[in-house]
Amino acid sequence: MGPALCLLSAACFGAMAIFGKLAYAAGVSPEALLLVRFGFAAGLLAMLLLLRPGLRRRDPAIPERRTGPARVTLGLLVTALGLGAVGYATQASLYFAALALMDASLLSLVFYTYPLLVTLTAVLLGRDRLTPGRCAALVAASCGTLLVLLGTGGVDFHPLGATLAFGAAVTYTVYILVADTVVHRLPPVILSALVMAGAALTLGARALVRGGVDLSFGLQGWFWLACIAVVSTVLAMLTFFAGLRRTGPSTAAILSTFEPVVTTALAALTLDEILTPVQIAGGLLVLSSVAVLQVQRTRPGHRGAVPHRVPKRPDLDNPKQPVSIS
């Protein structure tokens, strides 16, 4: 069940860009999409915490009489809300702004450079070591990204969209590294709920300053928004946590590379987006490099291995594991 749950989580995250494209086609604006997504997700997670008190513990597998509920101090509360209000809200805004300009498949490949950025930044900050294997993986990933960007053919390439997508990857890298300082001190569902609430507050305040958002779109638009909030945010996060407990961080991180594959396949099936052979080759280089880096980071006995610093997605989302948030 562990690998199956991790793959289901990656598929849910991978479908988010498709749901976003379909929501845009139904008349939903990027501002409305973000506000409804985070507001709805925060409400669902809050209800889940009320109905399932066991999720308030750091490890739901351990009885509460042995662990007790997690203590949420003021400092942790402010940090978690700040992660959502600043980091996640900015990353998601850049991601969905890019989605409005470029194809979902290409966006997914550009954005998925963030695990490589996390690894390189962690090395520069002294949190990890750069081994020959990681050097080779980073070089291959850089070449793969270059192929993806230069191999434009049937895909609608937009320079500003690519810049926004890479900006989302950079922002998410910073978010992950900051979140790594608090992720072990709060239960994952509580942390995710606070991050979602912080993002919703920021986007709500921005909407008020700009005079509100247009929510007059039809039922079709609301349906795709519900898919983003329920499937690609809440369900994706919960299935990832369940899979992570059963497989460990290394396997979960490697399986997360399934996410852009899902996005690309769904984009070809539903949006008639087709990657060129050069871009497919570049995407495979990026994904294989991510997998190699995760194996290097968590291999037992490997020099410089850091078993508990394997970033996944975001969105949600375990902030220290590379997943899709977007």
Side-chain angles (χ1 to χ4, degrees):
M1 285 299 297
L5 288 168
C6 290
L7 289 174
L8 176 60
S9 173
C12 291
F13 278 123
M16 181 166 60
I18 310 303
F19 292 149
K21 280 288 190 182
L22 295 172
Y24 289 163
V28 180
S29 66
E31 293 79 12
L33 185 153
L34 290 168
L35 182 59
V36 173
R37 176 201 177 190
F38 288 118
F40 195 17
L44 286 177
L45 289 170
M47 290 179 58
L48 187 62
L49 288 169
L50 289 174
L51 296 175
R52 296 287 302 276
L55 295 175
R56 304 172 196 170
R57 300 192 297 272
R58 288 186 178 90
D59 188 349
I62 300 177
E64 187 169 354
R65 64 179 180 275
R66 292 175 54 190
T67 62
R71 292 185 58 190
V72 182
T73 65
L74 179 60
L76 283 176
L77 179 64
V78 172
T79 301
L81 289 173
L83 281 171
V86 179
Y88 206 15
T90 301
Q91 179 270 325
S93 297
L94 291 171
Y95 181 92
F96 282 100
L99 185 63
L101 298 174
M102 62 191 301
D103 286 346
S105 54
L106 184 56
L107 168 61
S108 178
L109 293 177
V110 173
F111 177 71
Y112 213 76
T113 57
Y114 77 82
L116 308 173
L117 296 176
V118 170
T119 298
L120 185 58
T121 307
V123 169
L124 294 176
L125 293 176
R127 298 188 186 183
D128 211 340
R129 297 180 182 180
L130 192 59
T131 64
R134 292 176 190 169
C135 288
L138 288 171
V139 170
S142 300
C143 294
T145 303
L146 187 62
L147 288 176
V148 168
L149 296 177
L150 297 180
T152 305
V155 174
D156 182 18
F157 179 77
H158 195 289
L160 177 58
T163 303
L164 292 171
F166 187 72
V170 172
T171 304
Y172 197 47
T173 297
V174 176
Y175 165 86
I176 289 172
L177 294 172
V178 174
D180 187 51
T181 63
V182 299
V183 72
H184 299 294
R185 301 162 63 189
L186 282 174
V189 180
I190 289 181
L191 178 59
S192 297
L194 290 173
V195 169
M196 296 294 172
L201 289 173
T202 293
L203 296 167
R206 186 174 70 180
L208 288 176
V209 170
R210 295 183 176 182
V213 296
D214 183 12
L215 301 177
S216 61
F217 43 85
L219 290 177
Q220 188 177 12
W222 285 105
F223 173 78
W224 296 122
L225 289 182
C227 289
I228 292 174
V230 177
V231 176
S232 296
T233 304
V234 176
L235 179 61
M237 181 202 69
L238 295 178
T239 52
F240 170 71
F241 286 143
L244 178 63
R245 287 199 299 268
R246 291 166 172 81
T247 64
S250 177
T251 301
I254 294 171
L255 291 172
S256 73
T257 59
F258 186 55
E259 178 185 333
V261 177
V262 171
T263 301
T264 302
L266 289 177
L269 290 173
T270 63
L271 303 176
D272 296 326
E273 296 181 9
I274 300 176
L275 293 174
T276 65
V278 173
Q279 289 176 316
I280 292 175
L284 291 175
L285 272 176
V286 173
L287 298 183
S288 62
S289 300
V290 171
V292 168
L293 283 173
Q294 302 308 334
V295 171
Q296 291 282 329
R297 291 171 69 87
T298 57
R299 182 182 300 165
H302 177 72
R303 183 185 178 189
V306 185
H308 299 293
R309 291 179 184 259
V310 184
K312 177 98 172 62
R313 172 130 183 125
D315 259 13
L316 338 109
D317 325 79
N318 187 344
K320 57 187 281 293
Q321 296 285 332
V323 198
S324 294
I325 108 264
S326 307

